[in-house]
Amino acid sequence: MTEQAKVPAIRFAGFTDPWEQRKLGDCFEFLKSNTLSRAGLNGENGTARNVHYGDILIKFGDCLDDERSDLPFITDDTVLPKYAGSILREGDVIFADTAEDETAGKCVELRKLPKEPTISGLHTIPARPRFPFGTGYLGHYLNSDAYHRQLLPLMQGIKVISVSKAALQDTQVRFPGLSEQSAIGAALNEIDSLITLHQRKYDKLVIFKKTMLEKMFPKDGESVPEIRFAGFTDPWEQRKL
């Protein structure tokens, strides 16, 4: 996006208005997060769910769809009442404020939350938009280089790098009109779906190749493999390397 025009180099047809720019602190209100470690969570049951910073950094993409997320439960049922005013909603975003590298500040936009109340966990900064944004826009934008490079000079630490809430508040957020936001979010969500589809195909091919490697070469003490191409019947030769 150029500074003069305040518009991106590529846009969907029909959109010509300049983008708006505001401080993040003017666009979001911050919610409370808990300090529960993995030891305080479980994958079986509970009255509330938890979003852990490690999952934001490693497991989740730009947008969190609970159908694929497996959010852990909070083991202690007395925790939830303390965060009654910070129960997460669809459209909220959560930053991971700590990482071992410059991925600190990675963000996830919440979509399709589970039926149980969900709260933000250890080393996270949950934020709620003060006005509507298009579905998927914030998750993709706040993880883009266009936004994330603002965080690099604000990061502190050596072995563990962190970004503070105060630092986030002063960063600049850029966005077009709501309909263009929605178009951008939908397009990037579709690309994510394609990536997931091809990733599944890749995973299956890796397993298939591993199986073939086990069956297409003779095992110790045998002269032929378990699986051969049609038409080949001669025993394999064996020599010292």
Side-chain angles (χ1 to χ4, degrees):
M1 182 181 298
T2 63
E3 274 298 321
Q4 291 182 341
K6 290 188 177 180
V7 295
I10 297 176
R11 300 183 79 173
F12 290 104
F15 297 107
T16 58
D17 293 338
W19 286 38
E20 189 170 349
Q21 178 174 303
R22 296 192 194 180
K23 282 188 176 183
L24 186 141
D26 295 333
C27 300
F28 297 88
E29 60 175 310
F30 293 105
L31 309 175
K32 291 171 60 178
S33 60
N34 64 65
T35 58
L36 295 173
S37 66
R38 292 285 191 189
L41 309 175
N42 75 87
E44 301 299 326
N45 55 69
T47 58
R49 304 264 193 158
N50 186 81
V51 181
H52 192 274
Y53 83 103
D55 291 335
I56 296 175
L57 293 173
I58 298 172
K59 185 178 179 182
F60 303 149
D62 296 332
C63 297
L64 175 59
D65 182 342
D66 183 63
E67 294 175 359
R68 298 188 295 270
S69 67
D70 286 333
L71 287 175
F73 291 94
I74 296 173
T75 303
D76 184 355
D77 290 340
T78 67
V79 171
L80 181 60
K82 302 174 185 177
Y83 299 91
S86 294
I87 295 175
L88 298 167
R89 305 174 189 165
E90 292 184 2
D92 290 346
V93 297
I94 307 176
F95 296 89
D97 67 13
T98 300
E100 294 181 354
D101 53 26
E102 292 179 349
T103 57
K106 184 178 181 293
C107 178
V108 63
E109 177 183 338
L110 304 183
R111 313 306 314 174
K112 296 183 181 178
L113 286 169
K115 61 181 180 180
E116 299 86 4
T118 304
I119 56 178
S120 196
L122 181 69
H123 290 309
T124 65
I125 302 175
R128 177 163 296 156
R130 297 182 186 275
F131 46 86
F133 282 88
T135 300
Y137 177 78
L138 289 173
H140 295 295
Y141 170 71
L142 293 173
N143 286 317
S144 70
D145 286 342
Y147 175 78
H148 192 78
R149 61 173 172 253
Q150 295 182 69
L151 303 183
L152 300 181
L154 305 176
M155 295 180 180
Q156 298 179 332
I158 300 175
K159 292 185 177 180
V160 177
I161 298 174
S162 62
V163 178
S164 69
K165 185 185 300 183
L168 284 176
Q169 286 181 315
D170 288 333
T171 58
Q172 298 292 324
V173 177
R174 288 175 170 170
F175 50 92
L178 193 59
S179 57
E180 188 172 2
Q181 290 176 38
S182 298
I184 292 171
L188 295 176
N189 284 339
E190 181 64 24
I191 293 173
D192 278 346
S193 296
L194 288 172
I195 291 172
T196 300
L197 176 63
H198 288 291
Q199 182 65 47
R200 288 172 181 165
K201 291 181 179 178
Y202 167 81
D203 292 340
K204 289 180 180 178
L205 285 172
V206 169
I207 294 172
F208 176 71
K209 181 181 178 182
K210 182 179 179 181
T211 301
M212 296 304 287
L213 286 172
E214 293 174 352
K215 296 180 180 294
M216 293 188 74
F217 297 99
K219 296 178 181 178
D220 290 342
E222 298 180 1
S223 61
V224 294
E226 184 177 343
I227 295 177
R228 302 187 77 173
F229 289 105
F232 297 101
T233 57
D234 294 339
W236 286 37
E237 188 173 348
Q238 176 176 304
R239 298 190 188 184
K240 286 186 177 180
L241 188 144

